[in-house]
């Protein structure tokens, strides 16, 4: 992956990134599908950048119920909030949804000016603040998607966002059915039944993770619920 295209290193040249990685003592690790990357309750001092694959962020209650809070796509940053708060245990678990490669960097080295006084280190810190703000936005979006009392309303809200981001009525979602149900905080079987009904009603078409919204749905999604 070209790191200059990632959120954290945006605006930096390749030579500047190479110099920074040396100052930050960055390391790369690989994880197999299903492997836990960071566990709930652990303390981390590292910021992660997903180089390839896909990771899922989830949390569990004391009864063992899992809620999907979001996903980490290539180029995205994770664990930055916990790394920036010394000694703060993680409230979530990050796991590999497929074979994944990750770049880890110590947050202390990111936030402190290195001995070489790299002029581009300030840009890195600014980018980190932008990443944190974007994370808050993602949480707000999940609250919006789960605000509807009906499963169909939650699905329509999420699909509307996906279509807008893709700039098309046809798009791929990053979740399997269980992960989507956890993200929307609904029962998987009931959600799958609702998806079938929506397809029979001519609202959507789908095959695995590929969805197509009919034109009528785009209008419905913009109406107040």
């Amino acid at each position: 992956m070209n790191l200059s295209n990632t959120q954290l290193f945006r605006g930096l040249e390749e030579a500047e990134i190479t110099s920074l990685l040396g100052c930050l003592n960055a390391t790369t690790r690989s994880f197999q599908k299903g492997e836990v990357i960071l566990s709930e309750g652990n303390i981390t001092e590292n910021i992660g950048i997903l180089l390839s694959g896909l990771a899922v962020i989830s949390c569990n209650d004391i009864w063992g119920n899992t809620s999907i809070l979001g996903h980490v796509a290539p180029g995205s940053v994770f664990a930055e909030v916990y790394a920036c708060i010394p000694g703060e245990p993680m409230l979530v678990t990050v796991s590999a949804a497929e074979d994944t490669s990750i770049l880890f960097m110590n947050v202390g080295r990111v936030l402190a000016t290195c001995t070489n006084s790299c002029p581009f280190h300030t840009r890195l810190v600014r980018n980190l603040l932008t990443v944190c703000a974007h994370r808050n936005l993602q949480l707000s979006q999940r609250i919006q998607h789960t605000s509807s009392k009906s499963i169909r309303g939650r699905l329509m809200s999420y699909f509307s966002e996906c279509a807008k981001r893709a700039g098309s009525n046809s798009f791929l979602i990053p979740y399997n059915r269980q992960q989507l149900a956890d993200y929307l905080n609904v029962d998987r079987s009931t959600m799958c039944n609702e998806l079938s009904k929506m397809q029979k009603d001519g609202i959507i078409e789908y095959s695995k993770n590929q969805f197509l919204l009919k034109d009528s749905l785009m209008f419905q999604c913009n109406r107040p619920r």
Side-chain angles (χ1 to χ4, degrees), residues 175-194:
Y175 304 127
N176 60 34
R177 295 296 182 267
Q178 184 61 61
Q179 291 168 344
L180 179 59
D182 291 338
Y183 177 75
L184 296 176
N185 198 25
V186 297
D187 177 73
R188 179 185 181 278
S189 297
T190 308
M191 183 197 72
C192 289
N193 289 337
E194 190 60 41

Side-chain angles (χ1 to χ4, degrees), residues 6-10 12 47 49 77 105 124 127-128 131:
T6 64
Q7 296 171 318
L8 195 58
F9 292 104
R10 187 167 296 146
L12 298 177
I47 297 172
I49 299 181
V77 179
M105 297 172 295
L124 181 70
N127 287 348
L128 178 59
V131 167

Side-chain angles (χ1 to χ4, degrees), residues 155 159 168-173 175 177 180 195 204-213:
L155 287 166
F159 290 157
S168 169
N169 285 19
S170 179
F171 53 87
L172 281 167
I173 66 172
Y175 304 127
R177 295 296 182 267
L180 179 59
L195 286 172
I204 62 172
E205 292 180 4
Y206 62 89
S207 175
K208 296 183 179 179
N209 285 28
Q210 182 72 47
F211 284 79
L212 172 66
L213 301 187

Side-chain angles (χ1 to χ4, degrees), residues 30-167:
S30 296
F31 297 85
Q32 295 182 341
K33 180 180 179 180
E35 191 174 355
V36 173
I37 300 168
L38 293 172
S39 297
E40 180 179 346
N42 286 355
I43 295 172
T44 182
E45 297 179 346
N46 293 321
I47 297 172
I49 299 181
L50 196 137
L51 302 178
S52 64
L54 183 71
V56 173
I57 301 173
S58 63
C59 64
N60 299 294
D61 60 27
I62 59 174
W63 295 280
N65 300 310
T66 299
S67 294
I68 301 294
L69 302 181
H71 70 282
V72 186
S76 297
V77 179
F78 64 94
E80 71 286 347
V81 173
Y82 295 100
C84 288
I85 305 176
E88 182 68 23
M90 292 189 63
L91 300 177
V92 299
T93 294
V94 183
S95 55
E98 53 189 60
D99 291 348
T100 298
S101 178
I102 296 172
L103 177 72
F104 288 106
M105 297 172 295
N106 183 274
V107 71
R109 289 180 174 267
V110 172
L111 296 178
T113 303
C114 62
T115 55
N116 296 330
S117 298
C118 302
F120 32 83
H121 205 127
T122 302
R123 165 80 65 150
L124 181 70
V125 175
R126 287 203 303 265
N127 287 348
L128 178 59
L129 289 174
T130 300
V131 167
C132 292
H134 182 68
R135 185 77 63 224
N136 286 335
L137 178 60
Q138 288 180 323
L139 292 175
S140 297
Q141 288 169 338
R142 183 171 185 260
I143 292 173
Q144 178 184 352
H145 299 327
T146 56
S147 64
S148 175
K149 294 181 180 180
S150 71
I151 294 178
R152 178 170 296 201
R154 296 186 183 194
L155 287 166
M156 289 169 64
S157 176
Y158 176 66
F159 290 157
S160 175
E161 181 200 337
C162 291
K164 290 176 182 177
R165 287 185 178 276

